Amino acid sequence: MRCRRCRRPAIVDVRRHNAAFCADCFVRHCRDQVARAIHHFEMIGAGERVLVAVSGGKDSLGLWDILLDLGYAADGLYLGLGIGAYSDESHRHAAGFAAARGASLVTVDLPADYGYDIERGAAAARRAPCSACGLSKRHLFNQAAVDGGFDVVATGHNLDDEAAVLFGNVLRWNTDYLGRQLPVLPPSEGFVRKVKPLIRLGEREMAAYCVVRGIDYIVEECPMAEGNRHLGYKDALNRIEEQSPGSKQAFYFGFIERTAELFRPGAVAEQAGLHPCLECGSPTTGDVCAFCALVARARQQ
Ligand code: Q46
Ligand code: ZN
């Protein structure tokens, strides 16, 4: 196996591109894919400040590394979820990366700053842990970006993640979610822009990228992910991809390029009905946003 670019011996193959790369050319390939996604979808403008949501895993740390190397002004944001040893370890990896790269890491801690952890928050709100977690993340990533004067929040969702979410949304025809499942969510009153620059890279490529770059990431998955539907969708898509490389990319990009627009009107109408939360000022459909309601219930417990 030889590198597609320089013909030296290859160390990693990317079947969906029918290509293999040596270490140097692979790093270049990953950067190029991110640069291409940012450019094509106009994710980050010149001089804009980016806040990267980092979990200590391969995707978010790899993304932060690539954005820094592409010359973006990118700080990290770590959200402590209070999930025992997993949270301690993931924070250690995020902080270690920041120190090694001389980059700045903002840390928000759910138990210390908001008085609940994911387990308690989920019980109080009568939601599944991942639902309480997703809600907390969406709110706090945006809040930290607004407070810190950032223009964009970037998350490490890769092609495998986005294809699996799309698969789940299509299986159930969740048209509201389909209208919002875009690589860029434009800014609106109270919300900064949200971008997913890793959509052109798969999970395996991100793991290989971190290994090649010597990035020490947390390998363990969050213990709450067990039994998650999302993992089942990933497995199903992996089996399809195995037989027919390129299927995930065709599925996801076909949706973005040919179908996503059809679902936009529902999402836009939903946005139009928003007004500021009485507690925190974030846009919401009710008096108090779902995040403030969760915090209040968790405090009563
Ligand atoms: S961190 Fe949070 Fe994930 Fe853990 S509780 Fe679920 S959503 S699985 S990306
Ligand atoms: Zn609120």
Side-chain angles (χ1 to χ4, degrees):
M1 214 167 54
R2 303 233 148 233
C3 173
R4 173 198 260 189
R5 288 179 197 245
C6 71
R7 309 310 300 159
R8 281 187 294 173
I11 55 141
V12 56
D13 68 323
V14 184
R15 283 183 69 202
R16 107 179 151 276
H17 291 309
N18 200 13
F21 299 97
C22 70
D24 290 349
C25 293
F26 180 64
V27 168
R28 221 173 102 190
H29 157 79
C30 293
R31 281 186 200 140
D32 288 352
Q33 294 298 320
V34 170
R36 202 168 144 190
I38 291 175
H39 177 76
H40 182 80
F41 294 102
E42 299 178 347
M43 292 181 174
I44 308 170
E48 286 189 330
R49 293 182 64 218
V50 187
L51 188 61
V52 187
V54 290
S55 66
K58 64 187 186 320
D59 302 304
S60 55
L61 292 185
L63 170 62
W64 196 6
D65 190 61
I66 293 172
L67 290 178
L68 290 170
D69 284 341
L70 288 173
Y72 289 104
D75 289 0
L77 168 66
Y78 176 79
L79 176 61
L81 303 169
I83 308 179
Y86 169 76
S87 285
D88 298 341
E89 268 299 286
S90 55
H91 183 235
R92 195 173 67 72
H93 285 83
F97 176 85
R101 288 246 20 183
S104 98
L105 181 70
V106 180
T107 298
V108 176
D109 191 68
L110 275 187
D113 301 334
Y114 291 90
Y116 72 95
D117 56 27
I118 289 303
E119 211 172 343
R120 277 184 49 203
R126 298 211 177 102
R127 286 171 175 255
C130 290
S131 158
C133 181
L135 166 63
S136 306
K137 283 179 182 169
R138 276 192 299 282
H139 181 90
L140 293 169
F141 290 167
N142 187 64
Q143 194 62 51
V146 171
D147 292 348
F150 291 89
D151 303 286
V152 193
V153 168
T155 55
H157 297 99
N158 59 38
L159 175 61
D160 295 57
D161 296 321
E162 290 303 290
V165 171
L166 176 61
F167 191 59
N169 284 337
V170 169
L171 268 184
R172 290 186 163 65
W173 290 113
N174 290 329
T175 51
D176 290 358
Y177 289 126
L178 287 168
R180 277 181 266 134
Q181 207 201 327
L182 300 170
V184 178
L185 284 181
S188 56
E189 193 58 41
F191 291 110
V192 302
R193 190 184 321 126
K194 310 267 167 23
V195 302
K196 298 171 184 168
L198 294 186
I199 47 164
R200 300 189 60 84
L201 291 167
E203 209 145 80
R204 209 174 134 258
E205 283 156 283
M206 290 315 296
Y209 176 84
C210 287
V211 170
V212 170
R213 293 278 297 147
I215 297 172
D216 183 21
Y217 63 91
I218 183 164
V219 178
E220 295 88 66
E221 294 286 337
C222 169
M224 306 271 183
E226 220 169 284
N228 196 318
R229 259 194 224 142
H230 188 74
L231 292 183
Y233 299 150
K234 272 193 173 173
D235 280 350
L237 287 173
N238 282 344
R239 258 171 277 147
I240 296 171
E241 183 78 16
E242 183 65 37
Q243 292 200 336
S244 169
S247 298
K248 280 182 207 172
Q249 181 155 335
F251 178 51
Y252 177 68
F253 282 93
F255 164 71
I256 296 297
E257 280 153 21
R258 301 204 288 271
T259 323
E261 266 310 302
L262 300 177
F263 301 102
R264 281 301 287 158
V268 171
E270 199 179 283
Q271 281 256 309
L274 298 178
H275 48 259
C277 163
L278 295 176
E279 294 284 334
C280 72
S282 292
T284 176
T285 46
D287 290 342
V288 170
C289 74
F291 175 75
C292 289
L294 188 156
V295 173
R297 273 191 223 120
R299 282 201 179 128
Q300 279 164 13
Q301 289 237 317

